[in-house]
């Protein structure tokens, strides 16, 4: 939108100042508008001018991934070789719109943590920090139609009862083999 405003002002300044004998005033005004617009665009791209960070917390109750009553699991799959990134697999809340559906909490560019407590139910607290426009003027100047603002951080915090096991997918597969052999 800022580019369209720049074009209108740039072209309009020539028509407005066309009757002046030296066209220097019109040229200088147009150059100032052009320079200011470029400066605002660069500041928006580099320092997120016109944007502010907002945080949203979403908490839900989760169920174990195993259907067995003997073992309750929270399973994760490490990504890459450094084990810094993980994808957690869990059952969503029974009260959610899609009960029994699997949930995935992908932790790429995301911090995650698991806490064991004496609670009866497991919960997932997903904290998302995004950029939003400071006001309507900033949205008009800097919004590009069809694009979404970036998510800067996402934190997935699992709180599980002491009776649950938090295992990698390889460990869960080994545990399943042990249960099948023992039955």
């Amino acid at each position: 939108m800022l580019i369209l405003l720049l074009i209108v002002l740039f072209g309009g300044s020539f028509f407005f100042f066309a009757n002046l004998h030296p066209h220097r005033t019109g040229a200088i005004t147009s150059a100032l508008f052009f320079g200011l617009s470029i400066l605002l665009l660069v500041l928006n791209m580099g320092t997120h001018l016109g944007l502010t960070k907002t945080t949203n917390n979403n908490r839900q109750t989760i169920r174990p991934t195993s259907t067995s009553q003997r073992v309750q699991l929270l399973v994760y799959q490490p990504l890459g070789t450094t084990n810094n990134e993980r994808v957690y697999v869990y059952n969503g809340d029974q009260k959610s719109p899609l009960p029994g559906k699997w949930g995935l909490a992908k932790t790429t560019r995301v911090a995650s943590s698991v806490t064991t407590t004496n609670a009866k139910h497991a919960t997932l607290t997903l904290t998302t920090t995004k950029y939003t426009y400071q006001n309507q003027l900033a949205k008009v100047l800097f919004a590009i139609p069809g694009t979404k603002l970036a998510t800067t951080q996402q934190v997935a915090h699992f709180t599980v009862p002491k009776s649950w096991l938090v295992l990698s997918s390889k460990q869960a597969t080994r545990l399943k083999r042990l249960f099948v052999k023992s039955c």
Side-chain angles (χ1 to χ4, degrees), residues 153-172:
Q153 183 183 25
Q154 196 171 29
V155 177
H157 181 75
F158 292 91
T159 305
V160 296
K162 289 183 179 181
S163 61
W164 282 40
L165 294 175
V166 180
L167 302 174
S168 70
S169 58
K170 288 181 182 179
Q171 292 170 328

Side-chain angles (χ1 to χ4, degrees), residues 123-134:
T123 59
L124 166 63
T125 305
L126 195 61
T127 304
T128 306
T129 304
K130 292 183 177 183
Y131 280 111
T132 56
Y133 294 105
Q134 288 177 348

Side-chain angles (χ1 to χ4, degrees), residues 38-131:
I38 296 298
L39 177 67
L40 289 176
L41 285 172
V42 168
L43 287 174
N44 177 260
M45 294 296 205
T47 62
H48 303 288
L49 178 70
L51 299 176
T52 184
K53 289 183 180 181
T54 57
T55 302
N56 183 18
N57 288 326
N58 183 10
R59 185 176 180 169
Q60 64 176 333
T61 304
I62 59 173
R63 294 179 287 141
T65 55
S66 65
T67 55
S68 169
Q69 293 298 327
R70 294 184 289 177
V71 179
Q72 296 176 333
L73 299 175
L74 177 63
V75 179
Y76 66 89
Q77 172 65 42
L79 297 176
T81 57
T82 61
N83 201 15
N84 289 340
E85 299 173 353
R86 295 179 175 182
V87 175
Y88 286 89
V89 180
Y90 58 90
N91 266 335
D93 187 5
Q94 290 178 347
K95 297 175 187 172
S96 70
L98 302 171
K101 295 288 181 182
W102 294 95
L104 295 175
K106 185 178 177 186
T107 62
T108 306
R109 284 192 307 155
V110 175
S112 65
S113 61
V114 178
T115 304
T116 306
T117 64
N118 290 326
K120 291 184 179 183
H121 302 287
T123 59
L124 166 63
T125 305
L126 195 61
T127 304
T128 306
T129 304
K130 292 183 177 183
Y131 280 111

